[in-house]
Amino acid sequence: EVQLVESGGGLVQAGGSLRLSCTASGFTFDEYTIGWFRTAPGKEREGISCISVSNEITYYADSVKGRFTISSDNTKTTVYLEMNSLKPEDTAIYYCAAVRAVVSGLLPTGEYDFWGPGTQVTVSS
């Protein structure tokens, strides 16, 4: 059974940091790209970063570039999203998703095959 589970969300003050984890099981990890998305209140789901596990090439949305870093640990089948310099507008539910492909940029939500349940991130001002 394919499973993605996010963890690491919480409440943080503006300027602070959090590290999200996405732990995968049930598929061949290094054949996939793992993406991070977020849904803010009243907004559509936004793709913010992804990493193709096999070559570790990463992509970022402009809204997080320079503040967020994505990485993977194949031994733990886990992808991390290190979030620094957090802003109140980063408040959202954060999801990870998986697609069996090596990608050349951020993909829309419809391209992903599997999704985690999400983790809440709240940034206070």
Side-chain angles (χ1 to χ4, degrees):
E1 177 189 5
V2 172
Q3 200 169 25
L4 296 170
V5 179
E6 304 94 342
S7 61
L11 173 65
V12 64
Q13 288 189 330
S17 300
L18 281 174
R19 187 177 79 158
L20 304 183
S21 300
C22 171
T23 300
S25 60
F27 59 88
T28 306
F29 190 62
D30 62 6
E31 292 181 355
Y32 281 71
T33 288
I34 306 297
W36 282 100
F37 295 78
R38 65 186 181 185
T39 306
K43 295 187 176 181
E44 293 187 352
R45 189 166 296 187
E46 173 192 18
I48 57 174
S49 186
C50 68
I51 182 168
S52 291
V53 175
S54 61
N55 58 20
E56 298 189 339
I57 292 179
T58 61
Y59 298 94
Y60 297 93
D62 289 343
S63 57
V64 305
K65 198 173 294 183
R67 299 188 299 124
F68 291 10
T69 302
I70 192 170
S71 62
S72 67
D73 183 339
N74 287 17
T75 64
K76 297 181 179 180
T77 63
T78 298
V79 168
Y80 302 99
L81 186 69
E82 184 75 35
M83 306 187 296
N84 299 314
S85 303
L86 283 162
K87 306 173 183 179
E89 51 263 45
D90 293 317
T91 294
I93 300 174
Y94 283 71
Y95 302 88
C96 64
V99 58
R100 189 168 180 259
V102 176
V103 304
S104 56
L106 294 177
L107 297 181
T109 58
E111 297 293 325
Y112 282 81
D113 300 317
F114 308 112
W115 290 82
T119 186
Q120 176 71 48
V121 171
T122 303
V123 184
S124 63
S125 57

